[in-house]
Amino acid sequence: MHELALPLLIGLIVVALAFDFLNGLHDAANSIATVVSTRLLKPVHAVIFAGVFNFAAYFLTIAFPSLHKVAETIGKGLIDKDLITPAVVFGALVGAMFWNVVTWLKGIPSSSSHALVGGLVGAGVAHAGIGGIQWTGLNKTLLFIVVSPLLGMIVSMAIMLLTSWLFSRSSNTGAEKSFRVLHLISAGTLSLSHGLNDAQKTMGIITVLLFSTGWLHGKFEVPHWVAISCYIAMGVGTLAGGWKIIETMGSRITKLSQHQGFSASAGGTITLMTASLLGIPVSTTHTITGCVIGAGVARRASAVRWGVAQNVVMAWVITIPASAAVGAAFYGITTLF
């Protein structure tokens, strides 16, 4: 079985890592848009900064193995892992990558995470029917499409208000200098959180693929080589950048000060870390968009360009159905061969 499956297995792992690279490319804007738009860092430096912290998340999982819960949710919590085949994995990855490329070309900050969820569910249902869906995991993921940006918005608003009170007696120059440092730190922790949550989605896909082809047995556990490969692929993808989306996230939704940039990044870090601890594959894009809006609203509601925000939300709504349809279609194509 291993000899017959090996060429297919290697090819699918390469496709999965290509998705992870694309995820880093597509989502680079999430953690660095605020530092670019506020001119805290030059774009090239910001991309390197984000790529390094994306990869650094690997060492966090070495210290705390329980942080691999997101990989378990993707690998066995959405579709019954015993029903997943290489064709399902192929359909899921192509469905997700197709949607990522479309939204990247259009400069729309859609969710790579939910594109993968949609692709996996679409291909899984095409293969095994509705009965193959693990509703607990899927419902939890769907719920956080709404919860994560709202939570990020609320947390960022709270941080804005709290820090405004704490620095109320500081001079403008002193406060600005402090927020520049705090903003840089929070952008680093946000990139770390992004790498932690997002790289695990590809880990889950590769791990369930190894189970389905007989290369892994027993307990569902991510091998170390899979983990480090995914973190490297995402880090390199982030280094490639995603400039159109950076523009949308960093300046078109609202103009940010260093104070607002720090609040948005800190709010995003708290939300993403919480989701990772709970094993929920949330969207970094959705989360940080909510945080940017929250930081803007805390200053004044009119500072937010609600038309742009509305277009972003519409992209969120159609991400899972669109990628599910493409995932199902490509699964169908594989059955012809």
Side-chain angles (χ1 to χ4, degrees):
M1 180 178 180
H2 288 180
E3 290 181 1
L4 291 174
L6 186 58
L8 176 62
L9 179 68
I10 292 173
L12 285 173
I13 289 174
V14 170
V15 173
L17 292 176
F19 167 78
D20 211 23
F21 171 86
L22 195 60
N23 190 350
L25 175 75
H26 190 275
D27 288 3
N30 298 333
S31 53
I32 62 174
T34 60
V35 293
V36 171
S37 67
T38 57
R39 299 184 180 180
L40 182 61
L41 291 176
K42 293 180 179 179
V44 173
H45 296 160
V47 167
I48 295 171
F49 178 83
V52 169
F53 277 96
N54 271 186
F55 177 73
Y58 168 73
F59 300 103
L60 194 61
T61 61
I62 293 296
F64 304 100
S66 61
L67 289 175
H68 272 163
K69 289 181 180 178
V70 173
E72 293 180 9
T73 298
I74 290 290
K76 63 179 183 178
L78 299 175
I79 298 292
D80 186 342
K81 67 181 177 64
D82 295 326
L83 299 176
I84 290 180
T85 66
V88 170
V89 171
F90 177 76
L93 290 170
V94 174
M97 292 172 73
F98 172 83
W99 186 247
N100 272 356
V101 169
V102 169
T103 53
W104 175 62
L105 290 174
K106 297 291 185 181
I108 301 170
S110 68
S111 169
S112 298
S113 306
H114 292 141
L116 181 60
V117 169
L120 182 59
V121 171
V125 169
H127 172 67
I130 297 293
I133 295 178
Q134 302 289 80
W135 290 104
T136 300
L138 181 59
N139 288 339
K140 183 169 61 174
T141 302
L142 293 176
L143 176 64
F144 264 74
I145 290 178
V146 178
V147 170
S148 62
L150 286 178
L151 182 60
M153 183 173 69
I154 292 168
V155 172
S156 296
M157 287 177 67
I159 291 171
M160 273 288 292
L161 295 172
L162 177 62
T163 50
S164 293
W165 175 73
L166 290 173
F167 284 86
S168 59
R169 296 186 178 181
S170 301
S171 65
N172 289 338
T173 303
E176 177 73 5
K177 186 178 296 184
S178 297
F179 282 122
R180 286 178 68 88
V181 175
L182 290 171
H183 187 187
L184 191 62
I185 294 171
S186 65
T189 58
L190 180 62
S191 292
L192 187 74
S193 305
H194 168 237
L196 178 65
N197 198 282
D198 275 34
Q200 287 192 60
K201 290 143 192 175
T202 307
M203 288 182 216
I205 286 287
I206 294 176
T207 303
V208 77
L209 175 64
L210 293 171
F211 269 98
S212 70
T213 52
W215 288 85
L216 285 179
H217 302 278
K219 184 180 178 182
F220 189 94
E221 194 170 32
V222 179
H224 281 297
W225 70 266
V226 172
I228 196 166
S229 298
C230 290
Y231 281 115
I232 289 173
M234 173 162 285
V236 173
T238 300
L239 291 175
W243 309 114
K244 288 185 177 182
I245 300 172
I246 287 173
E247 180 186 1
T248 299
M249 293 292 293
S251 60
R252 288 182 61 200
I253 292 175
T254 185
K255 294 291 184 181
L256 296 173
S257 64
Q258 299 296 347
H259 185 187
Q260 289 170 309
F262 157 69
S263 300
S265 298
T269 298
I270 292 170
T271 305
L272 290 174
M273 281 294 188
T274 300
S276 295
L277 289 170
L278 295 174
I280 301 172
V282 299
S283 165
T284 310
T285 308
H286 293 193
T287 302
I288 194 60
T289 301
C291 293
V292 168
I293 291 173
V297 169
R299 185 62 58 88
R300 68 181 193 279
S302 60
V304 176
R305 295 187 177 95
W306 295 105
V308 175
Q310 183 178 0
N311 292 337
V312 170
V313 172
M314 285 301 297
W316 297 352
V317 172
I318 62 174
T319 290
I320 288 183
S323 53
V326 178
F330 274 91
Y331 169 80
I333 291 171
T334 63
T335 62
L336 300 176
F337 297 94

